Amino acid sequence: MVAGVPHARAISHLKKDMPAVYKELVEITGRLEKQRRDVQDFEFTIQDGQLFMLQTRNGKRTAQAAVKFAVDMVKEKLITKEEAIRRIEPAQINQLLHNRIDPASKTSVLHQGLPPAREPRRGASYSRPTMP
């Protein structure tokens, strides 16, 4: 949820609704990823048809995604093999060594939880004081 809007639209809608803004967004984010040499998580807004980039940061990812991104970036000649290896953290290697459920296996839903609140909430937040 950003700016109190609980349901952001898919980026494909932007391409259809505002093709010029979409093109500018793709160009800017491509430059950011090449400059930062990492996948970026970015926030933006559009006001009166003008794109405003609010913030960018290195994207968080699973261990599998970190390896895939590193390999892809080597293939694109954005980073060296040595840098790709340095980017994979020991904890991520540890994650890759653990058994996991095969994503191609047949599964069934055991239980379904409640969705998050749909409206933004206002008010004070209180916590219990810490005891000495």
Side-chain angles (χ1 to χ4, degrees):
M1 181 182 313
V2 177
V5 179
H7 299 293
R9 297 178 72 195
I11 199 77
S12 58
H13 290 283
L14 179 62
K15 184 176 184 178
K16 179 183 169 204
D17 297 343
M18 304 175 97
V21 172
Y22 176 81
K23 182 180 178 192
E24 182 182 12
L25 178 65
V26 169
E27 289 171 359
I28 290 170
T29 56
R31 281 196 316 258
L32 284 169
E33 289 187 347
K34 283 190 174 132
Q35 178 190 37
R36 303 270 172 106
R37 298 172 49 213
D38 203 348
V39 175
Q40 295 297 296
D41 177 12
F42 56 89
E43 295 177 16
F44 65 94
T45 190
I46 301 166
Q47 183 175 345
D48 298 325
Q50 186 173 357
L51 174 67
F52 293 91
M53 298 302 293
L54 303 176
Q55 143 172 269
T56 186
R57 60 190 162 273
N58 292 349
K60 294 190 187 316
R61 61 202 75 152
T62 64
Q64 293 87 348
V67 170
K68 180 174 181 354
F69 287 139
V71 169
D72 289 348
M73 293 177 83
V74 168
K75 286 180 181 176
E76 294 174 25
K77 298 187 187 312
L78 295 173
I79 61 174
T80 65
K81 288 180 183 180
E82 292 77 16
E83 187 171 352
I85 291 167
R86 283 194 303 269
R87 287 183 177 210
I88 309 301
E89 298 176 16
Q92 291 174 314
I93 299 294
N94 188 30
Q95 284 179 346
L96 293 172
L97 297 174
H98 290 279
N99 293 331
R100 13 181 228 283
I101 297 173
D102 181 358
S105 67
K106 280 194 152 219
T107 59
S108 60
V109 176
L110 298 175
H111 188 70
Q112 197 165 357
L114 296 173
R118 296 182 70 125
E119 309 85 33
R121 302 288 185 216
R122 292 185 187 158
S125 174
Y126 299 93
S127 64
R128 201 177 318 196
T130 56
M131 302 302 278

Coordinates of all heavy atoms in Angstrom, one line a residue, residues 11 14-15 17-29 44-53:
I11 N 1.5 -3.1 -13.9 CA 2.3 -2.2 -14.7 C 1.8 -2.3 -16.2 O 1.9 -1.3 -17.0 CB 3.8 -2.4 -14.6 CG1 4.6 -1.3 -15.1 CG2 4.2 -3.7 -15.3 CD1 4.6 -0.1 -14.1
L14 N -0.4 0.6 -17.2 CA 0.3 1.8 -17.5 C 0.7 1.8 -19.0 O 0.6 2.8 -19.7 CB 1.5 2.0 -16.6 CG 2.4 3.3 -16.9 CD1 1.5 4.5 -16.6 CD2 3.6 3.3 -16.0
K15 N 1.2 0.7 -19.5 CA 1.7 0.6 -20.9 C 0.5 0.9 -21.8 O 0.6 1.6 -22.8 CB 2.2 -0.7 -21.2 CG 2.8 -0.9 -22.6 CD 3.4 -2.3 -22.8 CE 4.0 -2.3 -24.2 NZ 4.7 -3.6 -24.4
D17 N -2.5 2.6 -20.8 CA -3.2 3.8 -20.5 C -2.3 5.1 -20.8 O -2.8 6.1 -21.2 CB -3.6 3.9 -19.1 CG -4.6 2.8 -18.7 OD1 -5.2 2.3 -19.6 OD2 -4.8 2.5 -17.5
M18 N -1.0 4.9 -20.6 CA 0.0 6.1 -20.8 C 1.2 5.5 -21.4 O 2.3 5.5 -20.7 CB 0.2 6.7 -19.4 CG -1.0 7.2 -18.7 SD -0.6 7.8 -17.0 CE -0.6 9.5 -17.4
P19 N 1.2 5.2 -22.7 CA 2.4 4.6 -23.3 C 3.7 5.5 -23.2 O 4.8 4.9 -23.1 CB 2.0 4.4 -24.8 CG 0.7 5.1 -24.9 CD 0.1 5.4 -23.6
A20 N 3.6 6.8 -23.3 CA 4.8 7.6 -23.3 C 5.4 7.6 -21.9 O 6.6 7.5 -21.7 CB 4.4 9.1 -23.7
V21 N 4.6 7.6 -20.8 CA 5.1 7.5 -19.5 C 5.7 6.2 -19.2 O 6.7 6.0 -18.6 CB 3.9 7.8 -18.5 CG1 4.4 7.6 -17.0 CG2 3.5 9.3 -18.6
Y22 N 5.0 5.1 -19.7 CA 5.5 3.8 -19.6 C 6.9 3.7 -20.2 O 7.9 3.1 -19.6 CB 4.6 2.7 -20.2 CG 5.1 1.3 -20.2 CD1 5.0 0.6 -19.0 CD2 5.7 0.8 -21.3 CE1 5.5 -0.7 -19.0 CE2 6.2 -0.5 -21.3 CZ 6.1 -1.3 -20.1 OH 6.6 -2.5 -20.1
K23 N 7.1 4.2 -21.4 CA 8.4 4.1 -22.1 C 9.4 4.9 -21.3 O 10.6 4.4 -21.2 CB 8.2 4.8 -23.5 CG 9.5 4.7 -24.3 CD 9.3 5.4 -25.7 CE 10.6 5.3 -26.4 NZ 10.6 6.2 -27.6
E24 N 9.1 6.0 -20.8 CA 10.0 6.8 -20.0 C 10.4 6.0 -18.7 O 11.6 5.9 -18.4 CB 9.4 8.1 -19.6 CG 10.4 9.0 -18.8 CD 9.7 10.3 -18.3 OE1 8.5 10.5 -18.5 OE2 10.5 11.2 -17.8
L25 N 9.5 5.3 -18.1 CA 9.7 4.5 -16.9 C 10.7 3.4 -17.2 O 11.7 3.1 -16.5 CB 8.4 4.0 -16.3 CG 8.6 3.1 -15.1 CD1 9.1 3.9 -13.9 CD2 7.2 2.5 -14.7
V26 N 10.5 2.7 -18.3 CA 11.3 1.6 -18.7 C 12.7 2.1 -19.0 O 13.7 1.5 -18.6 CB 10.7 0.9 -19.9 CG1 11.7 -0.1 -20.6 CG2 9.4 0.1 -19.6
E27 N 12.9 3.2 -19.7 CA 14.2 3.8 -20.0 C 14.9 4.2 -18.7 O 16.1 3.8 -18.5 CB 14.1 5.0 -20.9 CG 13.6 4.7 -22.3 CD 13.3 5.9 -23.1 OE1 13.4 7.0 -22.6 OE2 13.0 5.7 -24.3
I28 N 14.2 4.8 -17.8 CA 14.9 5.3 -16.5 C 15.3 4.1 -15.7 O 16.4 4.0 -15.2 CB 13.9 6.2 -15.7 CG1 13.8 7.5 -16.4 CG2 14.4 6.4 -14.3 CD1 12.7 8.4 -15.9
T29 N 14.4 3.1 -15.5 CA 14.7 1.9 -14.7 C 15.8 1.1 -15.3 O 16.7 0.6 -14.6 CB 13.5 1.1 -14.4 OG1 12.9 0.7 -15.6 CG2 12.4 1.8 -13.6
F44 N 7.5 5.1 -7.8 CA 7.3 6.3 -8.7 C 5.8 6.7 -8.5 O 5.0 6.0 -8.0 CB 7.6 5.9 -10.1 CG 6.7 4.9 -10.7 CD1 5.5 5.3 -11.4 CD2 6.9 3.5 -10.6 CE1 4.7 4.3 -12.0 CE2 6.1 2.6 -11.2 CZ 4.9 3.0 -11.8
T45 N 5.6 7.9 -9.0 CA 4.2 8.4 -9.1 C 4.1 9.2 -10.4 O 5.1 9.6 -11.0 CB 3.9 9.3 -7.8 OG1 2.5 9.6 -7.8 CG2 4.7 10.6 -7.9
I46 N 2.8 9.4 -10.8 CA 2.5 10.1 -12.0 C 1.5 11.2 -11.6 O 0.5 10.9 -11.0 CB 1.9 9.2 -13.1 CG1 2.9 8.1 -13.4 CG2 1.6 10.0 -14.3 CD1 2.3 6.9 -14.2
Q47 N 1.9 12.4 -11.9 CA 1.0 13.5 -11.6 C 0.8 14.4 -12.9 O 1.8 14.8 -13.5 CB 1.6 14.4 -10.5 CG 0.7 15.5 -10.1 CD 1.2 16.2 -8.9 OE1 2.1 15.8 -8.2 NE2 0.7 17.4 -8.6
D48 N -0.4 14.6 -13.3 CA -0.7 15.3 -14.5 C 0.1 14.8 -15.7 O 0.6 15.6 -16.5 CB -0.4 16.8 -14.3 CG -1.3 17.4 -13.2 OD1 -2.5 17.0 -13.0 OD2 -0.8 18.3 -12.4
G49 N 0.2 13.5 -15.8 CA 0.9 12.9 -17.0 C 2.4 13.0 -16.9 O 3.1 12.6 -17.9
Q50 N 3.0 13.4 -15.8 CA 4.4 13.5 -15.6 C 4.9 12.5 -14.6 O 4.4 12.3 -13.5 CB 4.9 14.9 -15.2 CG 6.4 15.1 -15.2 CD 6.8 16.5 -14.9 OE1 6.0 17.4 -14.8 NE2 8.1 16.7 -14.9
L51 N 6.0 11.8 -15.0 CA 6.5 10.7 -14.2 C 7.5 11.3 -13.2 O 8.3 12.2 -13.5 CB 7.3 9.7 -15.1 CG 8.1 8.6 -14.3 CD1 7.1 7.7 -13.6 CD2 8.9 7.9 -15.3
F52 N 7.4 10.9 -11.9 CA 8.3 11.3 -10.9 C 8.8 10.1 -10.2 O 8.1 9.2 -9.7 CB 7.6 12.2 -9.8 CG 7.2 13.5 -10.3 CD1 5.9 13.7 -10.8 CD2 8.0 14.6 -10.3 CE1 5.5 14.9 -11.3 CE2 7.6 15.8 -10.7 CZ 6.3 16.0 -11.3
M53 N 10.2 9.9 -10.2 CA 10.8 8.8 -9.5 C 11.0 9.2 -8.1 O 11.5 10.2 -7.8 CB 12.2 8.5 -10.1 CG 12.1 8.0 -11.6 SD 11.1 6.6 -11.9 CE 12.0 5.3 -11.1

